[in-house]
């Protein structure tokens, strides 16, 4: 309950700040809120604002969400190996040493996040360290380091900002045309018109957002192939293939609908168009064929 309340308060605070900034922009530029230019400014502010704020807060939010423990001074041989492996891979990839954290979960999982290549986070589950061989775990770490080196988090945030902007802009433009809210006639001044505008824009944002997610999901799947290839370059493709095969075995042994490493969805009924990660078989086949290398 406390985390939900904090989330709601954070979002209300962000909306309040955005509203103030938007009013300042309108006052300084002379743009009218009802004009196309004013609508585009509003859409861009809200579209990019949430995406970029999430990116800037991604490290702290991720650590809190999984209750990750940052390794400052390795306490055992496994943590020594983890730190030295990430450090070596970061040097090979040409990025700064990421913050390394371990969190307790039975799932075989790992992720990377952060707004900067030289100030990122690599988090690893205890399940991964316990159930993978060192070669397999090394490949998973190289996959996450490759995400950082490729700038995937920043690219995804910018792409999401562009998508959000167009979804908001087009939805409200169509809603304005249907309801007449942006018109100068008296009919657009009625309360009923504003209710129509609100309902239509809300429905269109959901519909267009769903359609736009196909594009962002495609890019997410594409970056997974690139990160697999990056891992293959850092540690060898056989290690990465072995890691993916281990994940496949683990994935197939769990109940349908469970979540495993690299964000793999267990529900086979979902369309691949809306999957953030490609099927494991396709990733393995891509590496064996030498694609993206």
């Amino acid at each position: 309950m406390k985390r939900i309340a904090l989330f709601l308060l954070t979002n209300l605070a962000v909306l309040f700040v955005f509203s103030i900034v938007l009013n300042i922009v309108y006052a300084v530029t002379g743009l009218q809120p009802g004009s196309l230019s004013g609508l585009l400014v509003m859409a861009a502010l809200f579209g990019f604002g949430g995406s970029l704020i999430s990116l800037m807060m991604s490290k702290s939010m991720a650590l809190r969400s999984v209750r990750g423990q940052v390794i400052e001074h390795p306490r055992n041989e496994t943590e020594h190996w983890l730190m030295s492996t990430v450090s070596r891979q970061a040097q090979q990839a040409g990025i700064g040493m990421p913050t390394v954290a371990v969190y307790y979960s039975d799932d075989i999982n790992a992720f990377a996040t952060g707004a900067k290549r030289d100030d990122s986070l690599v988090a690893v589950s205890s399940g991964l360290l316990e159930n993978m061989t060192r070669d397999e775990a090394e490949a998973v770490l190289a996959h996450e380091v490759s995400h950082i080196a490729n700038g995937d988090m920043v690219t995804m945030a910018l792409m999401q900002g562009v998508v959000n902007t167009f979804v908001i802009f087009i939805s409200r433009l169509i809603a304005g045309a249907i309801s007449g809210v942006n018109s100068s006639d008296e009919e657009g001044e009625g309360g009923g018109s504003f209710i129509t505008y609100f309902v239509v824009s809300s429905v269109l944002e959901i519909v267009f957002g769903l359609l736009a997610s196909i594009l962002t999901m495609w890019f997410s799947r594409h970056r997974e192939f690139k990160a697999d290839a990056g891992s293959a370059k850092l540690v060898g493709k056989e290690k990465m293939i072995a890691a993916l095969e281990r994940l496949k075995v683990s994935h197939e042994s769990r109940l349908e609908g469970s979540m495993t490493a690299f964000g793999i969805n267990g529900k086979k009924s979902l369309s691949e168009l809306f999957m953030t990660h490609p099927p494991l078989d396709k990733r393995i086949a891509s590496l064996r064929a030498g694609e993206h290398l």
Side-chain angles (χ1 to χ4, degrees), residues 69-121:
Q69 297 182 1
V70 174
I71 302 175
E72 296 180 352
H73 303 288
R75 297 164 297 181
N76 51 53
E77 190 274 334
T78 298
E79 291 187 355
H80 274 287
W81 174 85
L82 187 59
M83 291 291 287
S84 63
T85 300
V86 173
S87 176
R88 183 180 69 254
Q89 293 178 354
Q91 289 181 346
Q92 288 179 267
I95 63 173
M97 175 64 182
T99 299
V100 180
V102 175
Y103 65 96
Y104 294 95
S105 172
D106 291 334
D107 290 337
I108 301 176
N109 204 358
F111 64 87
T113 191
K116 300 177 182 178
R117 282 163 48 95
D118 295 332
D119 185 22
S120 55
L121 168 72

Side-chain angles (χ1 to χ4, degrees), residues 148-162:
I148 299 169
N150 294 339
D152 286 335
M153 284 71 75
V154 175
T155 305
M156 281 296 294
L158 293 175
M159 183 176 185
Q160 191 64 57
V162 172

Side-chain angles (χ1 to χ4, degrees), residues 238-273:
E238 293 306 320
K239 289 184 181 181
M240 190 63 216
I241 290 173
L244 292 173
E245 288 177 337
R246 172 78 67 174
L247 291 173
K248 184 180 177 182
V249 171
S250 173
H251 171 63
E252 291 174 347
S253 67
R254 291 180 179 275
L255 294 175
E256 184 177 359
S258 65
M259 299 295 288
T260 50
F262 303 122
I264 298 164
N265 259 316
K267 290 189 176 181
K268 298 179 182 178
S269 59
L270 291 178
S271 169
E272 190 176 333
L273 289 175

Side-chain angles (χ1 to χ4, degrees), residues 26 31-48 160-178 182 197 200-202 204-206 208-209 212:
Y26 284 151
L31 293 172
Q32 296 299 316
S35 66
L36 287 178
S37 299
L39 177 60
L40 184 58
V41 169
M42 182 277 293
L45 180 63
F46 282 88
F48 277 94
Q160 191 64 57
V162 172
V163 168
N164 291 344
T165 297
F166 278 98
V167 166
I168 294 171
F169 178 76
I170 295 173
S171 298
R172 301 202 176 195
L173 186 65
I174 295 174
I178 293 174
N182 292 330
Y197 175 84
V200 172
S201 64
S202 297
L204 288 177
E205 283 182 16
I206 294 173
F208 290 153

Side-chain angles (χ1 to χ4, degrees), residues 13 25 28 48 60 62 64 106 124 137-139 183 215 222 230 256 261 285:
V25 171
V28 172
F48 277 94
S60 58
R64 289 194 186 98
D106 291 334
V124 182
E138 182 185 6
S183 303
L215 178 61
H222 176 72
E256 184 177 359

